[in-house]
Amino acid sequence: MRLAKYVKFREEKFGGVLFETRSEKVFTLNATGAAVIGEIQAGCDQSDIFVHLKERFRDSDGTIEREAAAFIADLRNKGLLEE
């Protein structure tokens, strides 16, 4: 899994920004969303992303995994991710 060809990411103090350059859409990300994108750019698969996020954000009840899975599904639906 990786960002689509026309998608760029920039980390910011508040989290990050995704740019879809063909349609010129901009998506503002919170710290968790930016962390998911960082893991994707690092080449992690979805299960590794969940493990890393659970450790980083000290999630004990699975909330981060559910939110990250929904976010990844949304990125796919919008055409922002490629396999």
Side-chain angles (χ1 to χ4, degrees):
M1 164 174 51
R2 64 179 181 271
L3 292 178
K5 182 178 180 180
Y6 299 102
V7 177
K8 307 296 179 209
F9 172 68
R10 184 176 72 211
E11 196 164 350
E12 298 287 344
K13 289 181 182 180
F14 57 83
V17 178
L18 274 181
F19 299 100
E20 204 290 348
T21 59
R22 290 184 301 176
S23 64
E24 298 182 357
K25 289 185 180 179
V26 178
F27 302 90
T28 305
L29 307 177
N30 63 16
T32 308
V36 170
I37 298 298
E39 295 290 332
I40 290 169
Q41 288 184 315
C44 295
D45 65 21
Q46 191 163 330
S47 60
D48 288 338
I49 291 171
F50 298 153
V51 170
H52 296 161
L53 291 178
K54 285 175 100 172
E55 292 170 1
R56 180 173 176 179
F57 292 100
R58 297 187 181 139
D59 176 46
S60 60
D61 66 359
T63 301
I64 206 92
E65 185 173 343
R66 288 189 302 276
E67 290 178 359
F71 179 56
I72 290 169
D74 192 39
L75 291 171
R76 283 188 175 118
N77 290 337
K78 290 180 173 151
L80 302 173
L81 285 182
E82 297 175 344
E83 291 307 313

